[in-house]
Every structure is written in structure tokens, then in C-alpha cells.
Amino acid sequence: MKTSVENVADLCESSEDNCKKFIDRIIKTNREVFMMSSLLDKQMCGYDLIKEIFSRCDVFLSQGAVYPVLYTLEGEGLLHAEYSKGDMRSKKYSLTLSGRKVAEKDVEDFAKALEQVSLLLKR
Amino acid sequence: MLKNTINGLDKILFDEIPKGSVILVTGAEGTLKSGLVFSMMTNYIAANDEHGLYVTLEQNVESHLRNMNSLGIKEEGGLHIFDYRDMRLEWMDSDLDLIKTTEEVIDSYKEKYDNLTLFALDSLNALYSISENGNMRNKIYNFFSHLRDEDLTSFLIMESAQSRISGQFSQFHQIEHFLADGTIELGMIEGKGGVKRYIQILKMRATKHAMEKHQLTVNDNGINILGPIY
Ligand SMILES: Nc1ncnc2c1ncn2[C@@H]1O[C@H](COP(=O)(O)OP(=O)(O)O)[C@@H](O)[C@H]1O
Ligand SMILES: [Mg+2]
């Protein structure tokens, strides 16, 4: 039987994991913003995006969650797709003019929203 | 309503198919499985303010649309077509679990369009042939449950040329039939007047329907269902 003190210690140790769990959830549900923010810097294919977000955020977005977003954003005219020269294997996406505007605004608003949420928690 | 999506469908379907039904569409190659399903979906989407998702593993989007175009079936904005071409080329060296990935694809479209009500998979055979085999029965069961949880009326296309189905595949062959709420069979029959296409509803839970084979034709107006074929 563990003493209650040890249980509390366990809880504290897992706080980093717990935090990671919330970050994971936030990034996954808001992946559209994270994907567009990555595309602000350079054009990328689905594979590049998954790798980039993994190395930047330590969150693995699954393929089934990423490609549909790329296709619907392209359908909405926010992304432009083209096969990279000499490599028909990967379709590179870049932001269109209107896509860039939406991306910049979404990134800004999303950051604001997160600040407001953390204020809401400090009652 | 789905009943009104194909000319003459009301000759074999007397009630509306309940929302959220999972329906198998079986038949040999070239029996209009893709055409029938895509046609039902585009016509439904055109008449209702809803969205649909057509996942094609057999062909990529362009060649699927070419095929549909030749059958006189037009594209519809609310019907999203998803293929795995880019994903498979870019992740060539990884083992993709395509059943799980397909579930994620459905969830992604559902998140984006909350009035996503129709789903089609073209085809189950292709999904099986490129999925790892571990515990297939469970995976199929879970896949069907997933479609029901999402409340999607679903068409699962299954090529049924028995002779082509090798032993490994046939062990999964039964489970879909009892899991599905409906089975529509498409085929061709050789008769006096030559070869005719037919459609037959073998099963449709909670729905009144004809049992006979009815003739199926294609013309400039798309797909039509005529009278019984006997
Ligand atoms: N313009 C047309 N008129 C009549 N039949 C056609 C036409 N274009 C294609 N077809 C038929 O449609 C078939 C393809 O239909 P499809 O729905 O792709 O079949 P399946 O998915 O069952 O393999 C072709 O094999 C051909 O017989
Ligand atoms: Mg087909």
C-alpha cells in the first residue's frame, strides 16, 4: 500500500505529462491553424507538415487528420497545390493571397484566445 | 431522399432507407457499382443542403471523375472525393493502417462539415488488400461501428467476382453481410435480347423493397431502373 504522500508525489511527477496531454489536444483540434502557420514560411507537402509540426511541437498529427484539411483548404481557395519540379511524388502546398491573410489573422486570434483562456482559469 | 435519386429507384425501394444505414453494394467488375453509388450521392447532395464523402481507393480522383463523366454523372460541390494517392506516395516507406486512417479521414470531414450525412468507400476489397491482416474481423466490426456512431448513411462497395477472391480474403467475406443493414447486388444476365444489366435489393433492414432483379440502363440522363427482368 502506498502512503498518500507518495501518491501526491506521483501526481506532481506526472504534471509534465498532464500538460503535454492538454497541449496535444489543443494542437490536434486546432491543427488547421498550426498547419497554416507552418505554411507562412515555406511551401510544404503533407509529409513535410507532419514532420515539421512534430519537430516543432512534439505532437504527431496523423495522416488522416492532415490530408483532408489540405484538400478542403485548397477547395476553399486558401491553399494552392503544385507538384514539385522533378518530383511527382509530392504535392507542395502554399498559401494563396487570401490564404495568407486568413492564416495571419487566425494565428494572431488563436494566440489571443489562448491568453484569454488562461486568464479565465485564474479566477 | 435517397429513394428519388435514381430514375426508377422507387420501383424497387418502397420506403426511404433509414438514415445511418450501412449498405453493401456488391457485383463483379464493370457492373456500375461506382456509378450507382456516386450518382445517388450527387443527386442527393444536389437536392439537400448536406455534405457527402466519397473515399476512393481503386482510382484517384481524376480518373474516378472521368469514369463518372462518361456515365453522364456530374460533380457536386458538397460531395467531397478523397483518394489516397498523395498520402501513399509520400509515406511509401511507412506502414499505414488504412482502416484507422479512413476513420480519421471521416472524422476530419465530419469536424469540418457537421451536416455530413453520406459516406461511400470504393472499395472494401481495396481497403483489405492494403491493410495488414492482424485481427481483421475486429477491425471490420469497429469500422462498421464507427460509421454508425457518426450517423452516416454509408455505401460500401465490394467487388464480388468469387473466382478472384483468394482464400485469405474469403474468411472476411461473410462478416460484412451480417453487419450490414442492406445489400444491393448489381450484375449482368445473358438473355434472349443479349446481355442486360440488373439491380437487386437482397436485403434492406426496416425498409419495404422488391426482391426481383430489375433492369438497369445507362443513357445520357445517367442511370435508370426499368421493370423486372424475368
Ligand atoms: N457512356 C456509357 N454508356 C454506357 N455504359 C457505359 C458508359 N461509360 C461507361 N459505361 C459502362 O460503365 C462501366 C463502369 O462502371 P463502374 O460504375 O465504374 O463499374 P464498377 O464500379 O462496378 O466496376 C464500364 O465497364 C462500362 O460498361
Ligand atoms: Mg468501381
Side-chain angles (χ1 to χ4, degrees):
Chain A
M1 237 349 233
K2 278 184 178 177
T3 67
S4 57
V5 177
E6 273 168 338
N7 282 336
V8 171
D10 280 351
L11 273 177
C12 291
E13 264 177 3
S14 72
S15 150
E16 199 179 318
D17 287 345
N18 205 25
C19 191
K20 171 89 182 63
K21 186 186 77 189
F22 286 122
I23 292 173
D24 222 80
R25 241 188 254 168
I26 291 168
I27 293 180
K28 280 179 179 161
T29 39
N30 298 283
R31 60 192 182 282
E32 208 174 282
V33 183
F34 282 83
M35 288 167 64
M36 291 210 289
S37 114
S38 299
L39 290 170
L40 280 170
D41 307 324
K42 57 172 187 280
Q43 57 166 22
M44 283 188 248
C45 66
Y47 178 88
D48 300 335
L49 272 167
I50 290 172
K51 254 184 25 183
E52 205 266 341
I53 290 172
F54 182 69
S55 60
R56 183 156 59 104
C57 314
D58 195 27
V59 171
F60 182 79
L61 294 178
S62 58
Q63 292 89 347
V66 165
Y67 288 81
V69 172
L70 288 174
Y71 299 154
T72 49
L73 289 178
E74 186 189 359
E76 289 168 354
L78 300 181
L79 296 185
H80 167 77
E82 63 185 345
Y83 286 101
S84 45
K85 290 186 198 74
D87 182 12
M88 286 297 287
R89 273 183 53 179
S90 67
K91 210 196 231 169
K92 300 279 187 187
Y93 289 84
S94 52
L95 290 160
T96 60
L97 222 58
S98 57
R100 181 163 290 274
K101 279 188 195 139
V102 171
E104 281 165 351
K105 180 159 186 352
D106 275 5
V107 167
E108 200 183 310
D109 290 347
F110 182 68
K112 251 189 239 165
L114 283 183
E115 275 168 33
Q116 285 179 23
V117 168
S118 76
L119 283 178
L120 289 175
L121 283 168
K122 295 176 191 144
R123 300 186 284 161
Chain B
M1 297 282 101
L2 280 167
K3 194 156 70 97
N4 310 326
T5 52
I6 303 280
N7 242 332
L9 186 58
D10 55 352
K11 292 191 178 86
I12 55 173
L13 203 56
F14 308 137
D15 290 333
E16 196 44 53
I17 297 174
K19 286 196 158 95
S21 297
V22 179
I23 297 151
L24 286 182
V25 178
T26 67
E29 218 176 305
T31 52
L32 291 181
K33 296 182 299 298
S34 304
L36 179 83
V37 170
F38 197 73
S39 187
M40 288 175 88
M41 291 175 86
T42 51
N43 290 337
Y44 180 87
I45 299 292
N48 298 273
D49 191 22
E50 294 174 19
H51 285 258
L53 173 64
Y54 190 99
V55 170
T56 162
L57 288 130
E58 300 254 328
Q59 298 178 288
N60 63 33
V61 173
E62 293 76 22
S63 78
H64 170 73
L65 284 175
R66 231 177 291 127
N67 188 25
M68 294 302 105
N69 208 29
S70 128
L71 292 166
I73 307 162
K74 284 187 283 298
E75 231 180 310
E76 193 56 53
L79 182 54
H80 309 273
I81 312 170
F82 186 92
D83 68 22
Y84 283 93
R85 185 178 181 278
D86 298 332
M87 203 188 287
R88 282 163 82 184
L89 285 171
E90 290 170 16
W91 297 85
M92 225 175 235
D93 307 323
S94 323
D95 287 325
L96 278 179
D97 178 342
L98 278 198
I99 296 185
K100 186 172 143 275
T101 304
T102 302
E103 291 173 358
E104 289 165 355
V105 168
I106 293 170
D107 295 344
S108 294
Y109 280 93
K110 188 91 190 180
E111 261 172 55
K112 184 94 185 178
Y113 307 104
D114 53 1
N115 55 352
L116 187 88
T117 54
L118 289 182
F119 169 74
L121 177 72
D122 192 355
S123 65
L124 266 178
N125 312 56
L127 187 70
Y128 296 164
S129 69
I130 44 188
S131 299
E132 11 157 348
N133 278 315
N135 217 346
M136 262 320 239
R137 280 179 160 270
N138 264 345
K139 284 188 185 168
I140 296 166
Y141 181 83
N142 291 333
F143 183 63
F144 274 67
S145 305
H146 194 87
L147 296 175
R148 293 210 169 88
D149 291 346
E150 295 283 17
D151 209 20
L152 292 165
T153 301
S154 304
F155 297 96
L156 307 178
I157 292 175
M158 195 157 88
E159 201 142 284
S160 63
Q162 254 80 14
S163 57
R164 289 178 169 224
I165 295 162
S166 59
Q168 185 201 31
F169 177 70
S170 57
Q171 71 185 83
F172 311 122
H173 199 219
Q174 293 311 312
I175 184 168
E176 303 85 358
H177 283 277
F178 73 74
L179 286 178
D181 301 299
T183 307
I184 298 176
E185 187 182 277
L186 301 180
M188 294 184 224
I189 300 187
E190 184 125 37
K192 278 172 283 172
V195 179
K196 283 180 178 160
R197 297 183 183 282
Y198 74 81
I199 180 170
Q200 182 177 29
I201 300 180
L202 297 178
K203 151 174 158 185
M204 196 63 69
R205 282 181 187 143
T207 313
K208 273 201 209 95
H209 64 88
M211 288 302 298
E212 300 87 8
K213 292 184 167 71
H214 278 59
Q215 193 179 350
L216 196 68
T217 62
V218 189
N219 62 22
D220 294 345
N221 306 324
I223 296 175
N224 304 279
I225 297 171
L226 310 179
I229 211 161
Y230 309 104

